[in-house]
Amino acid sequence: QPFRTVRSTSQPQTVDVPANPNTVYRFVVRCEDPENNQVSQLPSILQVRTPPLPPPRCFDVVVQALNPQTVRFTLPGSSTPVNYQLFRVGPNGQREVQPFRTVRSTSQPQTVDVPANPNTVYRFVVRCEDPENNQVSQLPSILQVRTPPLPVQTLSVPLPLPQQRPAQ
């Protein structure tokens, strides 16, 4: 059975067919002329490969020091599932082997708060994985953020007034 039948017109026509990304499709076109009771078929198979989806957009990830004890990641929303993998980077520039957090995307931007120490520089790499299309991309640069120091605590200590000596 044909998956689509199109009646010809005097103008060229385009027929759009739903397809999956990065997939090869093969088609045979058969032409029927019902008035003359004739059938012909294209001599060769038409083949087309759909392009892959673009890799997930890691560069839209933002990191900031929310306060002295929290680093916040803001992850963009995505229409397709994306796994954001967050890695710490050591002082020598080496990325940890395992991510410390993996977050599955939603259609809306989301935030991830990570505990931190005050007055400390943190370096991160973000890796984005599109499991449906088997694509991976990594943020090309290291995200760096410094948490602010804790605020200076001031104490108010009432001091006793000096006692006055009686006059002699």
Side-chain angles (χ1 to χ4, degrees), residues 46-119:
L46 300 175
Q47 181 172 309
V48 64
R49 175 182 287 278
T50 55
L53 287 175
R57 296 170 41 136
C58 263
F59 56 84
D60 288 340
V61 174
V62 175
V63 66
Q64 66 189 44
L66 191 60
N67 58 47
Q69 295 165 322
T70 308
V71 171
R72 173 169 281 176
F73 288 86
T74 303
L75 308 171
S78 175
S79 59
T80 60
V82 174
N83 294 326
Y84 294 100
Q85 295 177 322
L86 310 177
F87 294 88
R88 287 186 180 89
V89 176
N92 60 357
Q94 286 295 105
R95 179 187 92 181
E96 289 181 339
V97 176
Q98 295 295 321
F100 69 88
R101 184 80 55 96
T102 298
V103 181
R104 189 160 177 91
S105 69
T106 62
S107 59
Q108 298 298 315
Q110 55 188 325
T111 58
V112 175
D113 290 346
V114 178
N117 292 319
N119 200 27

Side-chain angles (χ1 to χ4, degrees), residues 1 20 27-28 32 38 48 54 56 61-62 68 70 84 115 118 122 159 162:
Q1 292 293 326
N20 292 319
F27 302 97
V28 172
E32 294 180 359
Q38 290 184 331
V48 64
V61 174
V62 175
T70 308
Y84 294 100
Y122 289 94
L159 298 175

